[in-house]
């Protein structure tokens, strides 16, 4: 009986690396690009062994050689190496586009249905109203990035009204008391949104 128990434990330990769940993460931060300081968005999918995705520099560039940890991520893109340390809130990077250590923060994912878009005024920003697990979230938005399912992300998605009554995941900064700012939107399942709106 004891031997059978040991055998089961050994099997579980051997299979554990094969069963690691893939996860998605999004970050917003600052890096150098061609000697300029620019805002960036990092989109990652993978586990501790491998991760791929996109980083926005001048445009979105593919990420290779990545991996995720409980407190950050490492990856390469555009000839540069990046290391995100969530505990310090810093991205350390080096390569042909420069080197340094700049601010970064992990975004919160909210999955729900977009019910309403409230127009902005001179004093108030435009707001997307989402139902997330039965709760109403009011999320400021401008032109967030669109995380495509099969191709490179769009940098500035201007047609959020196309997502009314759709369920999708929004990656949000400054999330607090059911408010926040939308930085990235994941393309909803079953949709293939074109870069340019279809001709009427």
């Amino acid at each position: 009986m004891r031997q059978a128990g040991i055998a089961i434990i050994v099997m579980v330990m051997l299979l554990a690396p094969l069963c690691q769940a893939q996860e998605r993460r999004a970050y917003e931060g600052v890096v150098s690009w061609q000697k300029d300081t620019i805002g960036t968005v990092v989109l990652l999918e993978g586990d501790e062994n491998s991760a791929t995705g996109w980083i926005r520099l001048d445009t979105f560039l593919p990420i290779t050689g990545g991996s995720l940890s409980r407190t950050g991520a490492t990856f390469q893109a555009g000839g540069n190496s990046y290391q995100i340390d969530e505990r310090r809130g810093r991205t350390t990077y080096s390569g042909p586009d420069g080197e340094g250590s700049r601010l970064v923060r992990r975004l919160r994912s909210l999955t729900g249905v977009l019910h309403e878009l409230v127009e902005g005024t001179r004093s108030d920003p435009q707001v997307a109203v989402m139902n997330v697990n039965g709760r109403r979230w009011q999320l400021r938005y401008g032109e967030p990035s669109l995380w495509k399912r099969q191709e490179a992300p769009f940098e500035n998605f201007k047609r959020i009204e196309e997502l009314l009554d759709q369920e999708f995941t929004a990656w949000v900064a400054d999330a607090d008391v059911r408010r926040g700012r939308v930085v990235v939107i994941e393309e909803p399942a079953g949709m293939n949104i074109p870069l340019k709106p279809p001709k009427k």
Side-chain angles (χ1 to χ4, degrees):
M1 189 73 173
R2 183 179 177 186
Q3 288 180 340
I6 293 173
I8 290 172
I9 291 171
V10 171
M11 287 180 61
V12 168
M13 291 176 64
L14 290 173
L15 291 174
L18 301 175
C19 300
Q20 289 176 346
Q22 297 274 307
E23 69 169 302
R24 282 191 158 198
R25 294 184 190 174
Y27 297 90
E28 182 181 46
V30 177
V31 294
S32 290
W33 183 77
Q34 294 186 354
K35 300 182 179 180
D36 288 330
T37 300
I38 62 170
T40 188
V41 172
V42 178
L43 310 174
L44 288 165
E45 182 172 18
D47 55 32
E48 65 182 24
N49 297 313
S50 176
T52 59
W54 304 89
I55 182 171
R56 189 184 70 202
L57 297 177
D58 180 43
T59 184
F60 274 104
L61 299 178
I63 285 171
T64 59
S67 64
L68 305 180
S69 68
R70 286 184 300 172
T71 58
T74 60
F75 58 89
Q76 290 82 46
N80 304 302
S81 296
Y82 299 87
Q83 181 173 4
I84 293 175
D85 185 338
E86 294 179 19
R87 291 171 299 188
R88 294 175 55 234
R90 310 292 289 187
T91 299
T92 303
Y93 53 90
S94 62
D97 290 325
E99 61 181 47
S101 178
R102 297 295 184 105
L103 295 174
V104 70
R105 59 180 165 181
R106 187 167 170 176
L107 302 176
R108 178 176 176 179
S109 65
L110 297 173
T111 300
V113 176
L114 178 62
H115 280 308
E116 183 183 0
L117 295 175
V118 180
E119 291 187 11
T121 65
R122 288 185 178 180
S123 57
D124 296 310
Q126 53 194 2
V127 171
V129 180
M130 287 186 71
N131 184 326
V132 180
N133 295 325
R135 295 192 173 192
R136 176 186 171 102
W137 280 75
Q138 297 185 37
L139 304 173
R140 304 187 313 276
Y141 74 95
E143 296 178 356
S145 298
L146 181 67
W147 195 346
K148 295 281 290 177
R149 292 179 173 271
Q150 301 296 330
E151 56 191 280
F154 299 163
E155 293 181 57
N156 304 110
F157 183 55
K158 303 177 181 180
R159 308 189 315 273
I160 193 172
E161 66 276 1
E162 294 183 19
L163 303 181
L164 280 167
D165 300 320
Q166 297 283 337
E167 182 178 79
F168 60 87
T169 297
W171 293 87
V172 178
D174 310 319
D176 183 42
V177 196
R178 296 196 293 280
R179 295 180 183 273
R181 174 176 56 85
V182 179
V183 179
V184 178
I185 291 173
E186 289 189 26
E187 186 175 57
M191 294 186 72
N192 183 15
I193 298 172
L195 177 59
K196 295 181 180 180
K199 294 181 179 179
K200 296 182 180 180

